[in-house]
Amino acid sequence: MISKDFLFTRQTIVGDNASIKANNLLHLDGMTEETSHSFLATLFSDVDLVDTIKPYPIFIKTLCSEVENIPSPPASFNFVLFFDAKKIALRQANDTQWDDMFTELRLQGYQLGIRNPSLAILNRVSIDPFIYVEFNLSDNTVTESINLCNHPSLSQKNLWFSHINSQQDFTLVKDKTTAQWFSGDFLSESIPVKGRKIPTYRLILSKLLTILKSQDGSLKQMAECIETDPTLTFRVIKLTKTVTYYRQFNVQNVQRAIEIIGFRDLIKWVSLAMFSSIDGKPDCLFSMAVHRACFCESLAKKLYPRENGAFLTGLFSYLPSFFDESLEQLLKDLPLSPDITDALLNKKGNLGYTLSLVMHYESGRWDNILFDTLAKSGVSKQTLRELYIESLRDAKEIYSK
């Protein structure tokens, strides 16, 4: 029986126009040494998992020892296996059978990539089997990596720059190399803007929160507030139809949408509509924000069943990425509940703990997760993995509409 203890996280890889091109799967293999199944073998047998990562190519960093005797990938999937350049150089120097293994993997339908090749390795080792090359900017400087891109052996390769932390580095790499694959924190980077101009969407959200807190607030007032922006109006009505329960209703105007949604979920859907309406941001940013919100909500339901606000906490953690201001300044303009504000600013309280867990998981920082403490609350590694997959599915239901 294949273990379900492994954890994985999906990170977005984009093209030079910031549209999604692939998914990078980081994984923590919790299976015992006696279990012969590798992460890849487990991956192929897990229908729930593979359904959440289609249709883009899937990049996986692995070891030579992990890919011996693995099955062929499903025909509809494009898997790229990445191997560390230093370890490949060492293997090839001591054992020529590894070249035969790479040939066999290619015949099975895999594509191969090599990670962080140095100048010495490029001059000494043949990288013909590898179609992709990863330059990890957390291991090498931008300048070093850019210089390596000019090596003759890389002229026909697909170049992937990972761990790009700033828009400045992204622009430099894009302008100075032939790379077409990029990933890193630059996708959600907040770029400060000069001047003090509050966008229309934030004003609308602030007014809605004020109306909701007022005892005299009405559905009509809220509808009129949303309808001041035609794009937001369209998005609110459209997004409410993505939820299965709501599809049985005929939603023709904002007031009817609010009646169906109810006060409790109104800010959730208006916030989603607001985020999806903002121009000039990477296409993947909205899906990343929605997935974090769904994951926070799913995890909070397990840890703190009576706690409200986890969805908004996850979603609003992306506020700086969308509005290019500090979180502290943004929250001054929004009359949120103290629990959500404290969670966002200080990672305090139940919501703050949930957000921290989710952010550690997303980044593959599993060493920072106290699994023994979670287990006492009924959340095992398998449960956490299942919640992650569930949240991927829920988020896809929202942002694919």
Side-chain angles (χ1 to χ4, degrees):
M1 181 177 178
I2 295 178
S3 169
K4 296 291 187 180
D5 285 342
F6 72 86
L7 301 176
F8 81 99
T9 184
R10 183 190 70 173
Q11 297 181 337
T12 301
I13 300 172
V14 301
D16 55 11
N17 61 352
S19 60
I20 301 175
K21 291 191 68 174
N23 288 310
N24 177 31
L25 253 62
L26 302 179
H27 64 93
L28 174 65
D29 195 337
M31 294 180 285
T32 62
E33 293 182 1
E34 290 77 16
T35 305
S36 60
H37 300 287
S38 70
F39 169 75
L40 292 175
T42 309
L43 174 64
F44 298 157
S45 67
D46 194 317
V47 177
D48 286 338
L49 195 157
V50 295
D51 280 348
T52 64
I53 55 180
K54 291 190 296 185
Y56 303 105
I58 301 164
F59 290 7
I60 302 177
K61 300 172 186 178
T62 188
L63 302 171
C64 294
S65 58
E66 291 181 341
V67 296
E68 295 181 80
N69 303 316
I70 63 170
S72 299
S76 59
F77 286 85
N78 180 5
F79 282 92
V80 184
L81 306 180
F82 281 84
F83 300 88
D84 184 80
K86 292 180 180 178
K87 293 181 179 179
I88 293 300
L90 183 62
R91 293 282 189 181
Q92 289 182 332
N94 298 325
D95 189 348
T96 58
Q97 290 183 351
W98 291 108
D99 289 333
D100 296 334
M101 183 193 71
F102 292 140
T103 300
E104 179 62 26
L105 287 171
R106 293 169 68 188
L107 290 174
Q108 284 182 326
Y110 293 98
Q111 296 186 67
L112 306 181
I114 189 168
R115 301 177 57 205
N116 293 333
S118 65
L119 183 60
I121 290 174
L122 291 174
N123 289 335
R124 187 176 76 249
V125 176
S126 171
I127 63 168
D128 289 343
F130 304 100
I131 299 175
Y132 290 83
V133 179
E134 178 195 359
F135 292 101
N136 186 327
L137 296 190
S138 65
D139 296 330
N140 300 290
T141 68
V142 177
T143 302
E144 289 171 341
S145 300
I146 289 175
N147 290 339
L148 276 175
C149 288
N150 297 320
H151 196 279
S153 62
L154 300 181
S155 60
Q156 301 300 317
K157 305 297 183 181
N158 292 295
L159 306 182
W160 167 32
F161 277 75
S162 66
H163 294 81
I164 303 175
N165 291 324
S166 69
Q167 285 288 337
Q168 182 179 358
D169 285 348
F170 170 58
T171 301
L172 186 63
V173 169
K174 188 172 60 171
D175 291 344
K176 299 292 184 180
T177 73
T178 59
Q180 295 183 324
W181 307 75
F182 312 91
S183 62
D185 291 341
F186 78 97
L187 290 170
S188 56
E189 181 188 17
S190 173
I191 304 175
V193 293
K194 294 182 179 180
R196 179 68 175 142
K197 183 179 180 182
I198 301 179
T200 302
Y201 296 138
R202 275 170 52 197
L203 289 173
I204 292 174
L205 183 58
S206 181
K207 289 179 181 178
L208 282 174
L209 287 167
T210 302
I211 293 171
L212 280 173
K213 287 187 174 184
S214 171
Q215 295 182 351
D216 300 326
S218 66
L219 288 177
K220 183 179 179 182
Q221 284 179 304
M222 288 185 282
E224 289 175 347
C225 181
I226 295 170
E227 287 170 346
T228 57
D229 187 279
T231 302
L232 193 61
T233 300
F234 169 77
R235 293 283 188 178
V236 168
I237 295 173
K238 183 179 180 182
L239 279 171
T240 56
K241 293 182 179 180
T242 66
V243 179
T244 304
Y245 174 76
Y246 297 151
R247 288 176 185 161
Q248 61 186 289
F249 297 97
N250 183 19
V251 184
Q252 295 180 330
N253 55 59
V254 173
Q255 185 163 332
R256 178 57 175 155
I258 296 173
E259 290 172 355
I260 295 168
I261 297 169
F263 281 8
R264 179 178 173 181
D265 287 338
L266 175 62
I267 295 301
K268 166 183 173 179
W269 289 104
V270 170
S271 300
L272 285 169
M274 175 184 69
F275 276 29
S276 67
S277 302
I278 297 174
D279 296 325
K281 293 295 178 179
D283 293 343
C284 61
L285 190 60
F286 178 61
S287 63
M288 291 163 63
V290 174
H291 177 230
R292 178 178 291 178
C294 289
F295 195 13
C296 283
E297 186 173 52
S298 296
L299 183 56
K301 285 180 181 177
K302 284 288 184 180
L303 295 175
Y304 313 108
R306 297 182 180 180
E307 191 75 61
N308 295 318
F311 187 95
L312 281 185
T313 300
L315 189 67
F316 283 3
S317 66
Y318 270 90
L319 277 171
S321 302
F322 282 94
F323 290 114
D324 294 323
E325 287 189 49
S326 69
L327 192 55
E328 291 80 2
Q329 183 59 52
L330 289 164
L331 294 183
K332 287 180 181 178
D333 298 328
L334 299 176
L336 293 170
S337 70
D339 289 348
I340 294 178
T341 300
D342 201 27
L344 289 169
L345 292 179
N346 306 309
K347 303 296 188 296
K348 296 290 183 65
N350 294 341
L351 294 177
Y353 178 66
T354 301
L355 179 60
S356 293
L357 281 176
V358 165
M359 293 177 71
H360 287 320
Y361 190 105
E362 288 176 339
S363 301
R365 299 192 301 265
W366 292 296
D367 288 344
N368 293 336
I369 298 177
L370 301 177
F371 292 108
D372 291 342
T373 302
L374 283 178
K376 294 177 183 178
S377 300
V379 178
S380 63
K381 284 186 180 180
Q382 179 177 342
T383 303
L384 195 59
R385 172 184 169 278
E386 290 171 350
L387 291 174
Y388 183 75
I389 294 175
E390 175 188 317
S391 63
L392 283 172
R393 191 184 303 113
D394 291 343
K396 189 175 182 181
E397 178 75 8
I398 294 172
Y399 65 70
S400 62
K401 298 299 181 180

